[in-house]
Amino acid sequence: MAIESPVPENDTASALSRRGLIRNAAGAGAAGLAAGVLLNASAASAATPGRAEPAAQPAAAEPDRRAAVAEPLIVRLPAAGSDALDIFHGEEHRQVHDADLAAALRKAAG
Amino acid sequence: MSSHREAPEISQDPVADSTDVYAFVSPDDCTKVTLIANYIPLQGAASGPNFFEFGDDVLYEIHIDNDGDGRPDISYQFRFTTKLRDNDTFLYNTGPIGSLDSPNWNRHQSYTLTRVEARGRSTVLGTDLPCPPCNIGPLSTPDYPKLADEAVHQLGHGRKVFAGQRAEGFYVDLGAIFDLGNLRPFQQLHNQFGLHLFDKPAPGVNTTRELNVHSLALQLPIADLTRDGWNGGDVDDPRATIGVWTTASRRAARVIEPRTGTDHESGPFVQVSRLGNPLFNEVLVPMSRKDRWNSLPPAEDSQFAGYVAKPELASLLPSLYPGVFPNLEARTKAGKPRADLLAILLTGIPKGVVPGFQNYTGTVQADMLRLNVAVPPTVDKPDILGLVAGDAAGFPNGRRVFDDVVTVELRAIAGVTIPLVDPTYTPDGAAGQVTDGLTPADVKNPYLDRFPYLGVPYDGFYNPS
């Protein structure tokens, strides 16, 4: 039977769990590749920032922006034939309109 | 059940599934309100090696509306973090857990509590607040009440918080209710669809007996919750009533990484679960719209008001129990909307309907648990039937942990509350008798008379099934 002692200093988050990776996300994959392109595109184009439907949002709190910088982002093309792109990054959702980029991503997706 | 697995989508996501909300003026300190939101339904006590815990990837909130618009004026946000003390064991604990910092407890959880005001002010009330472990058994958690007491955290100015496992306090005969409404105490009166199986009454069976939930519990000064910090004694003051509900939210986007057992989530939190009044989404909202209901704020509930005004169950009762509810049947067939239910569930009860009581929040139809904080707690012999039995400190004036909300709502739907708005209506004799046949005596581990009020959770050794 183990004897109780003070909390060990190597107390670690469960980094191997799915939840752990949410906090320590590093690998980006295809979404990350698109992310770099899209960040530039959104800055250069007439971006239309927008959060998801306000009715579905929890009470506003200050997003952890330092964590967000380290996270990969996820991009969605919501509708065929549309130039809209949804960008999910950190705790933000922005929608940008870029016909060329949307077409390029669809082409890349096959 | 109250809201356990009440909608198709959330039934597949138990960590984010709210089960019950309670709000009451604390019986042991009438200057404070206790708010409890339960999550993770139907926990079997013997759940090793991966015992139940809150979701690190879920934003849990308890909301307060104090101006009657069905939107949060104050929200209490809980965010959890889970850690391992030993990455090389498969065990939740490697010896008895005698304290919350025990090195024998391998997988442990803590949280940050933040108070957010609609005007944008955000205040962190506590960080790294430890949860207790689950109640495992006499060797692993030999003094569970001590562990739970350690997990009650003082936040200053009399505020308290607790987050962790408790005994399920909601009692219901789910097996009978969803077997075509066959309430055991009246099963001999059921039409039985011609099967002739039951010829005498039987006692109810508590589906949630010996099961656990995870509770988010707060005890707060009344002035923390009311408009303008009101803390008076006038029951009729519009500032006396607050609306309470809980939500759980998940990030908008998720990618499962191959070959790693990990995933990545991004984007804003999006609401996936909601609960105010017990049984609202479960019993009133049709299956096809339950998931949508879970995604919306109370402010948009007018679109569901038709299901309250003409509840499906009110039309089913007379056909399930032939000849037992003739007055209800006649009124239902006449198509008269149920103004009593609309008031109780969506606007609150206006002044003048129940002598000496009101919990009206205005014309906005919103499913919230409405609590008039000026009504003092009933300390001596509270009635589990609450307001309909003359105990104004109980449901639907808020909700206490022991209130028999199933019976109250069954009787309300059966017509006992119609005379509140239509004195010409005479309820059927059975309407005041209908019940699923359960009381707090059917809850094995007793409620506590102090915060967090729900009983000690069942351990897996003595309650293995």
Side-chain angles (χ1 to χ4, degrees):
Chain A
M1 183 179 297
I3 305 298
E4 301 216 359
S5 63
V7 180
E9 290 193 354
N10 62 347
D11 202 40
T12 57
S14 50
L16 294 181
S17 71
R18 288 180 176 166
R19 294 175 188 176
L21 196 77
I22 294 167
R23 292 187 297 272
N24 303 307
L33 284 174
V37 178
L38 277 169
L39 280 178
N40 294 332
S42 64
S45 68
T48 310
R51 298 176 66 85
E53 186 177 354
Q57 293 307 300
E62 185 63 25
D64 187 346
R65 297 188 184 282
R66 285 179 303 173
V69 168
E71 289 184 9
L73 55 83
I74 297 173
V75 177
R76 178 179 72 152
L77 280 69
S82 167
D83 66 351
L85 299 104
D86 287 322
I87 304 171
F88 301 96
H89 186 221
E91 294 188 8
E92 298 292 326
H93 168 214
R94 293 179 183 276
Q95 188 170 79
V96 299
H97 294 266
D98 188 320
D100 292 341
L101 182 56
L105 288 172
R106 286 201 174 86
K107 184 178 178 182
Chain B
M1 277 181 273
S2 176
S3 183
H4 307 54
R5 307 182 73 252
E6 94 289 355
E9 281 293 324
I10 201 63
S11 71
Q12 308 296 320
D13 186 5
V15 168
D17 185 3
S18 55
T19 64
D20 284 283
V21 173
Y22 304 95
F24 51 92
V25 177
S26 309
D28 50 338
D29 184 352
C30 62
T31 68
K32 298 187 177 66
V33 166
T34 298
L35 307 172
I36 305 173
N38 286 348
Y39 281 85
I40 318 176
L42 306 175
Q43 299 175 18
S47 57
N50 293 296
F51 290 90
F52 293 94
E53 62 195 18
F54 292 105
D56 290 4
D57 48 359
V58 175
L59 170 62
Y60 300 94
E61 295 179 280
I62 298 175
H63 304 284
I64 310 297
D65 170 29
N66 59 29
D67 62 8
D69 65 358
R71 297 189 184 277
D73 294 294
I74 300 160
S75 297
Y76 291 90
Q77 301 183 331
F78 295 76
R79 294 298 311 276
F80 291 87
T81 301
T82 305
K83 293 182 179 178
L84 295 178
R85 291 190 168 110
D86 181 351
N87 286 331
D88 297 321
T89 178
F90 73 97
L91 291 166
Y92 182 79
N93 60 297
T94 54
I97 302 173
S99 64
L100 297 187
D101 60 358
S102 167
N104 295 336
W105 181 18
N106 184 35
R107 187 175 174 94
H108 57 110
Q109 196 163 45
S110 62
Y111 59 100
T112 295
L113 175 66
T114 306
R115 183 181 194 268
V116 179
E117 297 178 17
R119 288 168 288 189
R121 183 180 178 192
S122 179
T123 307
V124 176
L125 299 179
T127 59
D128 298 321
L129 301 168
C131 300
C134 288
N135 197 0
I136 302 167
L139 297 184
S140 293
T141 46
D143 188 352
Y144 196 86
K146 172 180 177 289
L147 295 172
D149 285 346
E150 286 182 20
V152 175
H153 303 291
Q154 307 293 330
L155 302 172
H157 303 284
R159 304 180 183 102
K160 296 178 187 173
V161 65
F162 170 89
Q165 192 178 48
R166 301 307 296 169
E168 173 64 274
F170 173 65
Y171 44 96
V172 62
D173 191 344
L174 198 67
I177 289 173
F178 283 99
D179 188 18
L180 296 170
N182 187 25
L183 299 167
R184 293 180 218 260
F186 306 94
Q187 59 188 6
Q188 76 281 9
L189 301 176
H190 195 286
N191 70 28
Q192 301 183 38
F193 294 88
L195 295 173
H196 308 295
L197 297 175
F198 310 104
D199 58 7
K200 57 184 178 183
V205 176
N206 183 13
T207 306
T208 66
R209 186 176 174 85
E210 299 174 10
L211 298 178
N212 295 321
V213 292
H214 265 54
S215 299
L216 309 168
L218 291 161
Q219 192 165 81
L220 302 161
I222 287 173
D224 279 11
L225 305 173
T226 53
R227 192 190 335 159
D228 305 325
W230 184 86
N231 189 11
D234 181 4
V235 172
D236 291 335
D237 193 302
R239 296 169 294 180
T241 299
I242 59 173
V244 180
W245 72 102
T246 188
T247 61
S249 302
R250 288 189 173 280
R251 306 286 285 277
R254 178 186 183 202
V255 173
I256 301 174
E257 307 287 353
R259 300 174 59 83
T260 64
T262 61
D263 63 15
H264 169 71
E265 296 183 343
S266 277
F269 281 95
V270 177
Q271 183 180 309
V272 296
S273 180
R274 168 164 71 113
L275 178 58
N277 279 301
L279 301 162
F280 189 99
N281 197 24
E282 176 151 330
V283 172
L284 296 173
V285 178
M287 188 84 73
S288 62
R289 302 193 71 190
K290 288 178 186 292
D291 294 333
R292 175 168 171 75
W293 187 92
N294 263 334
S295 75
L296 298 174
E300 299 185 30
D301 281 342
S302 62
Q303 64 188 286
F304 303 102
Y307 306 121
V308 180
K310 296 181 179 179
E312 182 181 7
L313 184 56
S315 59
L316 288 175
L317 282 173
S319 60
L320 292 174
Y321 296 88
V324 175
F325 298 101
N327 296 348
L328 177 66
E329 183 173 29
R331 187 179 178 89
T332 302
K333 285 183 174 176
K336 292 184 179 178
R338 293 293 300 273
D340 56 323
L341 299 177
L342 288 166
I344 292 169
L345 297 172
L346 288 178
T347 64
I349 300 170
K351 180 182 176 184
V353 174
V354 176
F357 175 77
Q358 65 89 23
N359 63 356
Y360 184 66
T361 54
T363 58
V364 174
Q365 292 181 315
D367 171 40
M368 302 185 292
L369 194 57
R370 289 173 173 80
L371 174 66
N372 187 319
V373 298
V375 177
T378 302
V379 178
D380 184 29
K381 296 180 181 176
D383 195 309
I384 62 172
L385 298 180
L387 188 64
V388 296
D391 182 355
F395 182 76
N397 183 34
R399 179 184 173 190
R400 301 167 296 196
V401 291
F402 49 76
D403 281 342
D404 185 359
V405 295
V406 172
T407 295
V408 171
E409 292 198 358
L410 278 173
R411 292 181 183 181
I413 288 174
V416 293
T417 51
I418 295 175
L420 293 175
V421 296
D422 181 0
T424 67
Y425 178 80
T426 302
D428 297 299
Q433 307 285 321
V434 67
T435 177
D436 64 346
L438 299 171
T439 71
D442 295 289
V443 176
K444 182 178 168 185
N445 278 7
Y447 304 101
L448 306 184
D449 57 6
R450 58 187 171 82
F451 187 81
Y453 300 100
L454 291 167
V456 173
Y458 304 99
D459 73 68
F461 186 83
Y462 292 115
N463 307 276
S465 60

